[in-house]
Amino acid sequence: MLLQPKPKNARSKRFLTNRDPKVVENQKTAIFIRGSSTSQVILDTLKDLYSLRKPNAINFTKKNEIHPFDDETGVEFFSRKNDSSLFAVGMHSKKRPHNLILGRTFNYQVLDMIELGVESCIPMHQIKSQACAVGMKPLMIFNGEAFSQDENLMLLKNILLDFFRGESADMVSLKGLELVITVTAGPRKSNGEPGLVFLRTYTTSFKKSGVRQPRVELEEMGPSLDLSIRRTRHPVEDMWKQAIKVPKELKETKVKNISRDGLGDKYGRIHLGKQDITKIQTRKVKALKKKLDNRPSKQMELD
Amino acid sequence: MDVSGILEEHKSRFKSVQVDRLIPVEHDLGLLASYDINMLDEGKLSASKKKRDAYLLELSREGAQMLVNELFNQPTSVDDDSVYAVLPKITTTLPREKPLPKEKPMTRWEKFAKIKGIENRKKSRMVFDENAGEWRPRYGFKGVNNDDQKPWLIEVPGNADPYEDQYQVRRDEKKERVDKNKRRQARNMEERAATERGLNPREMRKRELQRAL
């Protein structure tokens, strides 16, 4: 547990309060770590993922003895030091060739991880295409029903969504939809195990279409990865529950007793209490008035 | 006048933006994501690399087209010559990176202000200084409240010792004010720590004094 140093001036204090838990969080930072032995394939993959994730990404260039599935403390230390909640570890060994581990942390502790084998990688510099601007919010497409059925693929989907999310925005410029990342679940292997996952990156170009929506044409760019799923670490129940809690400031407030008609008219509902029938105010009629003292009432003389 | 012929001819000049899928595709526009659970052509995916990549390109193009169609249907706002689509809230559950911030207990002043109904009014950073005839910061560097260092003349008040250094008196008073503020901040921190542990701050101070004695 790292001791938090006491801030000595306003600048360092601001830096530390930026890292405190907040209602609306900062954009997640990702760290790219190299294992003790790496291969060219895995280095290319890490480099490309890093460039897709800029500016909120930190690339470690030195090799580290790090095995997240066996010992989580290494990753947790880096996460705490760099205030990053996403990590990607790349390594290469005979048993697990071209190994890529993507994971997330919650409160600087590992939340979940997935180990992928990079079966083939075509990095950005090998595909000749126009470079994409840095920091764009990508369109993400997940093809295949396996992404809503298979546990491991659902975890992968969630992690990839978090990874490539970009800035959280209320509005997006319609001209700025340049990057598309597709993840497709390949057919199952003959022994029933899930097949490869194909990750492709494209740049868009909008063409005229005669209608308001433009015709979208894609050109391949960026890393093209074929991944196989190896080990997974699903999140612990109570950590996951804590992590998906929404603060009440961001919850939608329900407006009660106001409804809209089909025609757009606004209706409000007022709740009156229960009426006491014996005490209803009616017209004052003198004849019905109860006299306070027992004076005999004057009788009208009718003649 | 029948324009449908002309419209059709106009449309046929361009490529279609329509994409058909058996099962409607689920979109999460807040994330710019789409989840397509339609059946994929496994034959093409298991075929040669070229065929597979061509099929993936086609799939991706259609998926991107559907997303773009949805985005263009969203309410827009125009700002500085660029059109923005207003995105709805995210529907997929994604985890936070840190736990929810804890509610901070109120300080002594905050409690008092709440009871009295005193509201905090934001003051502007710059104040117009009549003497200098320019805008200066209210506090801090070249601030209006730091003029005490400047006066070339300070009148000795009637009840003070004539040999007392008035400049020193001013400096001491300021130091006293700063220290008082620091003491109060430290006290607030202690009281906050005490209430977070569930103790009454007075009890905690009593215990500490007893321990010191």
Side-chain angles (χ1 to χ4, degrees):
Chain A
M1 178 45 189
L2 287 174
L3 288 167
Q4 224 195 21
K6 272 199 173 167
K8 283 186 191 161
N9 54 13
R11 186 162 146 271
S12 45
K13 190 174 171 207
R14 263 178 273 142
F15 177 80
L16 285 173
T17 47
N18 189 33
R19 291 190 172 187
D20 274 343
K22 291 185 209 172
V23 172
V24 177
E25 293 195 309
N26 303 333
Q27 200 185 343
K28 291 191 180 183
T29 317
I31 42 175
F32 294 87
I33 313 168
R34 299 181 190 185
S36 41
S37 63
T38 55
S39 62
Q40 190 55 45
V41 169
I42 206 75
L43 286 180
D44 282 338
T45 319
L46 282 179
K47 188 174 157 202
D48 279 350
L49 288 175
Y50 166 67
S51 51
L52 278 179
R53 248 237 135 221
K54 272 196 223 177
N56 292 68
I58 304 168
N59 195 15
F60 287 28
T61 44
K62 279 197 179 163
K63 293 187 182 174
N64 298 287
E65 269 285 346
I66 191 164
H67 299 278
F69 276 89
D70 303 324
D71 182 19
E72 300 182 349
T73 53
V75 184
E76 289 178 358
F77 172 74
F78 286 132
S79 162
R80 193 178 282 274
K81 265 275 181 178
N82 295 288
D83 188 36
S84 62
S85 49
L86 294 167
F87 61 87
V89 181
M91 53 182 123
H92 176 73
S93 67
K94 239 187 180 173
K95 192 177 174 194
R96 294 181 225 276
H98 315 302
N99 212 19
L100 176 72
I101 301 174
L102 295 175
R104 294 182 285 202
T105 60
F106 175 70
N107 200 16
Y108 307 122
Q109 292 173 325
V110 170
L111 178 65
D112 51 16
M113 294 190 281
I114 187 162
E115 187 177 51
L116 306 161
V118 181
E119 304 297 329
S120 97
C121 162
I122 305 176
M124 269 199 251
H125 56 84
Q126 275 182 18
I127 302 174
K128 287 168 205 152
S129 74
Q130 26 169 229
C132 189
V134 155
M136 298 241 93
K137 206 171 153 77
L139 297 175
M140 288 190 282
I141 302 163
F142 288 85
N143 290 314
E145 54 182 9
F147 279 116
S148 50
Q149 292 171 348
D150 186 66
E151 239 189 5
N152 293 338
L153 285 177
M154 288 202 284
L155 179 68
L156 178 66
K157 178 171 115 177
N158 208 297
I159 292 181
L160 287 176
L161 276 172
D162 227 348
F163 223 86
F164 294 118
R165 192 172 164 186
E167 277 177 44
S168 25
D170 297 324
M171 298 196 289
V172 72
S173 167
L174 289 174
K175 286 183 220 163
L177 304 166
E178 281 176 20
L179 188 62
V180 175
I181 299 177
T182 20
V183 188
T184 319
R188 281 178 168 269
K189 289 189 211 162
S190 41
N191 56 3
E193 280 174 25
L196 294 179
V197 173
F198 306 111
L199 193 147
R200 301 284 184 270
T201 326
Y202 305 97
T203 36
T204 62
S205 49
F206 291 167
K207 301 261 154 64
K208 274 197 198 177
S209 68
V211 287
R212 190 158 165 242
Q213 295 96 336
R215 164 90 182 174
V216 173
E217 292 295 344
L218 299 179
E219 196 193 325
E220 189 155 3
M221 156 254 193
S224 157
L225 304 168
D226 293 347
L227 308 160
S228 67
I229 299 179
R230 290 180 185 158
R231 294 181 284 185
T232 56
R233 176 82 63 91
H234 288 265
V236 181
E237 254 320 302
D238 28 296
M239 209 195 261
W240 180 254
K241 274 196 186 155
Q242 250 207 313
I244 58 175
K245 264 193 198 171
V246 178
K248 62 175 167 82
E249 287 95 328
L250 296 179
K251 274 194 195 157
E252 284 193 21
T253 46
K254 286 187 192 168
V255 180
K256 283 180 163 181
N257 299 322
I258 296 181
S259 59
R260 278 204 182 260
D261 202 344
L263 299 167
D265 295 329
K266 205 172 182 182
Y267 285 91
R269 241 186 171 166
I270 306 171
H271 297 269
L272 304 168
K274 197 174 182 183
Q275 265 188 322
D276 186 2
I277 305 170
T278 55
K279 294 191 180 143
I280 297 181
Q281 170 91 319
T282 48
R283 264 179 61 205
K284 284 186 190 168
V285 180
K286 256 197 180 166
L288 299 172
K289 200 173 173 186
K290 277 189 192 165
K291 294 270 189 302
L292 283 173
D293 49 79
N294 289 318
R295 245 185 286 160
S297 52
K298 273 190 185 172
Q299 289 218 321
M300 286 209 17
E301 286 183 359
L302 296 160
D303 266 319
Chain B
M1 187 178 157
D2 188 17
V3 287
S4 55
I6 304 170
L7 282 172
E8 289 227 6
E9 193 236 307
H10 177 76
K11 261 194 187 169
S12 63
R13 265 193 277 159
F14 302 106
K15 287 192 184 162
S16 162
V17 292
Q18 281 248 314
V19 178
D20 294 313
R21 285 277 197 265
L22 265 179
I23 309 170
V25 173
E26 192 189 322
H27 295 282
D28 184 350
L29 289 175
L31 271 180
L32 296 182
S34 86
Y35 313 125
D36 188 348
I37 52 172
N38 284 290
M39 295 284 284
L40 301 169
D41 189 336
E42 302 206 338
K44 286 192 188 160
L45 288 173
S46 330
S48 72
K49 198 164 161 42
K50 253 194 179 177
K51 280 194 185 163
R52 183 178 65 205
D53 283 349
Y55 176 55
L56 287 174
L57 180 71
E58 190 193 317
L59 261 185
S60 313
R61 196 216 73 77
E62 291 180 346
Q65 181 73 66
M66 283 193 280
L67 253 185
V68 167
N69 289 350
E70 280 293 309
L71 282 170
F72 272 74
N73 282 340
Q74 290 297 103
T76 53
S77 82
V78 186
D79 178 48
D80 298 347
D81 301 328
S82 52
V83 188
Y84 291 92
V86 179
L87 300 175
K89 279 199 170 176
I90 296 173
T91 47
T92 343
T93 46
L94 289 174
R96 286 168 60 93
E97 63 170 351
K98 285 168 195 155
L100 297 178
K102 288 182 208 149
E103 288 270 343
K104 287 206 178 121
M106 283 200 281
T107 58
R108 282 196 187 201
W109 167 254
E110 283 174 351
K111 284 183 201 154
F112 178 76
K114 193 174 179 188
I115 296 168
K116 282 274 188 171
I118 301 169
E119 271 177 27
N120 187 24
R121 277 190 212 136
K122 277 274 190 187
K123 299 180 195 130
S124 62
R125 172 74 198 209
M126 297 304 224
V127 179
F128 190 69
D129 185 12
E130 293 293 341
N131 298 336
E134 59 177 11
W135 290 89
R136 280 166 64 193
R138 193 185 290 268
Y139 57 88
F141 183 63
K142 288 188 188 170
V144 158
N145 70 342
N146 287 339
D147 277 348
D148 297 327
Q149 290 127 29
K150 306 271 179 70
W152 54 274
L153 182 105
I154 306 178
E155 282 183 22
V156 176
N159 51 353
D161 177 15
Y163 291 102
E164 206 179 13
D165 181 4
Q166 290 302 318
Y167 289 99
Q168 189 60 41
V169 165
R170 288 210 172 194
R171 259 178 269 146
D172 289 340
E173 280 178 357
K174 171 135 191 180
K175 193 164 185 290
E176 169 74 52
R177 272 180 275 142
V178 170
D179 285 340
K180 205 179 187 187
N181 196 19
K182 284 198 180 155
R183 266 184 278 137
R184 295 220 159 122
Q185 283 182 356
R187 187 182 65 183
N188 275 335
M189 298 267 272
E190 283 174 11
E191 292 193 349
R192 177 178 295 169
T195 25
E196 276 177 4
R197 272 191 233 160
L199 302 165
N200 192 352
R202 283 195 177 160
E203 297 279 316
M204 198 168 124
R205 252 184 279 145
K206 251 196 209 173
R207 278 193 216 171
E208 290 207 359
L209 279 171
Q210 282 176 348
R211 236 181 281 162
L213 294 169

